[in-house]
Amino acid sequence: MGKAAAARKLASAAAFGGGGVSALGAALYGVMRVEASLARKTIGEPRDEPPPDATGWYGRGRPGPAIKMALLGDSSAAGYGVERVEETPGALLASGVAERADRRVYLRSFAVVGAMSSDLAEQISRALPIEPDIAVILIGANDVTHTVLPSHSVRHLAEGVRRLREAGVAVLVGTCPDLGTLKPIAPPLKQVARAWSRRLAAGQTIAVVEEGGRTVSLGSILGPEFAAAPALLFGPDQFHPSSHGYRSLASVLLPSALAALGLLEPDEIEPEPYRGEGVLPITAAALQAVNTPGTELGGTEVGGNRLGVRGLWVELRHRRRHPSTDGTAPEADEEQQPGPERAAASEA
């Protein structure tokens, strides 16, 4: 089976409840389970102390109306491993959006250390009452290390994106990174993890875009850039990013978040062929995104049609990264929160 067919089959299996394990083979699935257990022992149990909470207001003194962001997902979204809230991806992303858009930003983090795709439903139920303008989701790595079938992971993600889009929320998903680069993961698990995470990322991409969301490939977050400087970009457990790593993560997400919010500079609106940007069928675009970290995909139309002979039309972009914005601590001023935010905060 070719890569395109495998990605298409994975997304279809997720939609109809199929198993999807044949993409890797039953024998490799067994190896994955054993080796993943050993890798989790090497990484160790999560610390009892939770990551700093990035929830709050950003962009003091900037004009309104405020942009409301919900951050969903796992430890990579929560900022596990850093000591200061300014170093978390939530604070870095919200600070960046506030600066680039010249607007106040209210960020609410619902991310949970150790979360898998099956945990998204609860997080989304908590996020919807704040009526966010955008939801940023980082999920998938724990699904791989806990050997959750990719079709199951993709189905949970697709259902979550559908709920958010039906509520009028823009959605940006950072797809599963390439776990084959992680130091605690040894061969043969390393090769299996690479294949598993890339196929999961392709399936996530197809499912999210079909549900009306936008994706950006995070392969670079645990890819060549990290492999070249693991001591700088990974934390002490060699699994979670360091503060420098989270800054790299935020720099990848920021341009796509601005695009999802419709806050692009005029010269960023149309695709640039010289940067390899253009329109492709969804499966071909998903596979290219997996192999080209930092690639953003979103649905588009060709001749007034969203569907072509080979499936949904997708706009493939390689957004220019903005100069890094220093993260700031949030302003925890509940008196300034709109009603839904205050109610959600009191329930948490």
Side-chain angles (χ1 to χ4, degrees), residues 52-143:
D53 186 2
T55 295
W57 287 92
Y58 295 82
R60 181 189 294 274
R62 297 185 184 277
I67 297 168
K68 291 184 286 185
M69 301 178 63
L71 184 60
L72 313 172
D74 55 24
S75 54
S76 60
Y80 178 86
V82 299
E83 302 295 335
R84 300 166 58 237
V85 66
E86 297 93 327
E87 299 172 327
T88 62
L92 290 163
L93 184 59
S95 299
V97 171
E99 179 177 316
R100 302 297 168 189
D102 194 26
R103 300 260 294 277
R104 294 209 77 196
V105 173
Y106 178 71
L107 173 78
R108 182 79 192 274
S109 177
F110 300 92
V112 177
V113 174
M116 294 182 283
S117 298
S118 57
D119 298 309
L120 280 176
E122 180 180 352
Q123 294 184 25
I124 290 170
S125 293
R126 295 177 59 210
L128 286 175
I130 77 168
E131 301 178 353
D133 298 297
I134 182 172
V136 179
I137 303 174
L138 303 175
I139 203 76
N142 291 318
D143 294 68

Side-chain angles (χ1 to χ4, degrees), residues 20-37 144 146-150 186-196 199:
V21 70
S22 61
L24 292 173
L28 285 181
Y29 180 74
V31 171
M32 180 74 170
R33 290 184 63 86
V34 174
E35 294 289 340
S37 177
V144 175
H146 287 76
T147 59
V148 177
L149 293 177
L189 177 62
K190 185 179 292 290
Q191 288 76 19
V192 178
R194 171 167 285 120
W196 192 299
R199 293 207 183 201

Side-chain angles (χ1 to χ4, degrees), residues 56-348:
W57 287 92
Y58 295 82
R60 181 189 294 274
R62 297 185 184 277
I67 297 168
K68 291 184 286 185
M69 301 178 63
L71 184 60
L72 313 172
D74 55 24
S75 54
S76 60
Y80 178 86
V82 299
E83 302 295 335
R84 300 166 58 237
V85 66
E86 297 93 327
E87 299 172 327
T88 62
L92 290 163
L93 184 59
S95 299
V97 171
E99 179 177 316
R100 302 297 168 189
D102 194 26
R103 300 260 294 277
R104 294 209 77 196
V105 173
Y106 178 71
L107 173 78
R108 182 79 192 274
S109 177
F110 300 92
V112 177
V113 174
M116 294 182 283
S117 298
S118 57
D119 298 309
L120 280 176
E122 180 180 352
Q123 294 184 25
I124 290 170
S125 293
R126 295 177 59 210
L128 286 175
I130 77 168
E131 301 178 353
D133 298 297
I134 182 172
V136 179
I137 303 174
L138 303 175
I139 203 76
N142 291 318
D143 294 68
V144 175
T145 60
H146 287 76
T147 59
V148 177
L149 293 177
S151 59
H152 294 180
S153 302
V154 172
R155 185 173 67 250
H156 287 300
L157 177 60
E159 290 170 352
V161 174
R162 187 180 311 126
R163 287 179 64 194
L164 289 163
R165 294 297 298 133
E166 288 175 349
V169 181
V171 178
L172 174 64
V173 175
T175 57
C176 183
D178 180 359
L179 299 186
T181 62
L182 293 173
K183 189 173 181 179
I185 299 180
L189 177 62
K190 185 179 292 290
Q191 288 76 19
V192 178
R194 171 167 285 120
W196 192 299
S197 54
R198 287 189 176 190
R199 293 207 183 201
L200 175 56
Q204 287 178 323
T205 299
I206 292 170
V208 169
V209 175
E210 287 185 339
E211 294 296 342
R214 188 182 302 255
T215 65
V216 60
S217 167
L218 296 186
S220 63
I221 301 306
L222 296 175
E225 186 175 349
F226 272 60
L232 179 65
L233 296 175
F234 280 113
D237 63 4
Q238 293 295 291
F239 183 81
H240 294 93
S242 65
S243 59
H244 294 280
Y246 285 125
R247 180 178 289 271
S248 179
L249 168 62
S251 72
V252 171
L253 293 173
L254 177 57
S256 297
L258 293 171
L261 289 164
L263 299 172
L264 292 170
E265 296 294 332
D267 62 350
E268 281 283 327
I269 294 175
E270 297 298 327
E272 294 288 353
Y274 75 89
R275 291 208 302 257
E277 299 179 342
V279 176
L280 294 172
I282 188 169
T283 303
L287 292 172
Q288 191 171 135
V290 169
N291 293 314
T292 310
T295 303
E296 176 197 308
L297 299 182
T300 189
E301 295 183 355
V302 174
N305 296 313
R306 295 182 68 241
L307 288 171
V309 176
R310 296 168 62 191
L312 194 72
W313 289 114
V314 172
E315 188 175 84
L316 183 150
R317 305 296 298 266
H318 301 295
R319 302 280 182 194
R320 289 196 295 266
R321 295 198 196 182
H322 299 282
S324 296
T325 300
D326 290 333
T328 59
E331 305 163 40
D333 187 353
E334 294 188 11
E335 292 302 314
Q336 296 185 49
Q337 294 180 22
E341 283 91 335
R342 193 180 303 117
S346 64
E347 293 172 1

